[in-house]
Amino acid sequence: MSFLLWVEATILLLAAVLAGLGAGWVTPEVTIQGNTLSQLTVRTALGILAAAFFGGFVACLAIWRQRQGLAELLRQPGPRGQVLIAPKTVAQLASGLLFEELPETSFRVLLRPKKGGLLLRVFLRLPKEASIPEVAERVQELLTAELSRRTGLTVQEVQVVVHSASSR
């Protein structure tokens, strides 16, 4: 886990514990501008904060797990040692291939680890006249074959998400 992600996860967990303790045991009477809030209101607010902080902690763990999965997948054995490929490099290769294939189309590429390989999710904005099934199949075949050939990584799945079809 990177240092900043670890710090963020720790702070969120501590905040969740403190808010949970406040909701469960130590609930003082709170007065805001002369208005006194009931104990139930304060406990409810602290409980909601504890749940939100704990949700942030779980999100940090999910990000860490995803990064770990990608780090393991992007290691390839070489003749004289391991070859490490940065996830950003794979995304840049995919973007370059897409730009060559679809020069007038905007897109975005996300990588996810998948058991035994990579999952790529490609978000596209296609022209109105484009055939979505044909473009999607072409993108899937191109990325699967070329990324596997150029990196040695197994591309398990290429998901194509078409956001819109607009005129040029």
Side-chain angles (χ1 to χ4, degrees):
M1 186 179 296
S2 72
F3 178 72
L4 292 178
L5 189 58
W6 178 84
V7 168
E8 184 177 359
T10 303
I11 290 171
L12 286 168
L13 182 61
L14 287 173
V17 168
L18 291 174
L21 287 173
W25 289 317
V26 185
T27 309
E29 204 172 78
V30 176
T31 304
I32 299 174
Q33 294 182 351
N35 297 325
T36 302
L37 300 176
S38 69
Q39 267 195 338
L40 179 62
T41 304
V42 174
R43 284 178 187 252
T44 302
L46 287 173
I48 291 170
L49 279 174
F53 289 140
F54 190 73
F57 169 73
V58 170
C60 286
L61 291 181
I63 292 169
W64 171 76
R65 185 169 183 248
Q66 178 186 358
R67 287 181 183 174
Q68 284 300 111
L70 279 176
E72 291 300 316
L73 287 172
L74 302 183
R75 296 172 191 252
Q76 293 294 314
R80 302 196 196 286
Q82 281 197 337
V83 176
L84 303 172
I85 304 169
K88 187 175 181 179
T89 302
V90 177
Q92 287 173 338
L93 277 171
S95 294
L97 291 167
L98 287 171
F99 184 73
E100 289 174 11
E101 188 72 19
L102 306 166
E104 295 183 23
T105 303
S106 62
F107 55 84
R108 187 173 48 127
V109 178
L110 294 177
L111 298 176
R112 299 255 190 271
K114 190 170 182 179
K115 196 169 195 161
L118 283 175
L119 171 126
L120 274 82
R121 187 170 291 153
V122 180
F123 298 90
L124 297 171
R125 292 184 193 271
L126 296 176
K128 279 186 182 178
E129 64 274 2
S131 168
I132 293 174
E134 288 176 15
V135 171
E137 184 177 341
R138 206 167 74 207
V139 164
Q140 289 170 330
E141 289 176 8
L142 172 74
L143 292 179
T144 301
E146 282 299 308
L147 286 178
S148 293
R149 184 183 70 78
R150 291 184 185 191
T151 64
L153 299 169
T154 303
V155 178
Q156 291 284 353
E157 185 177 352
V158 177
Q159 296 176 349
V160 178
V161 180
V162 179
H163 274 290
S164 68
S166 58
S167 57
R168 293 179 195 217

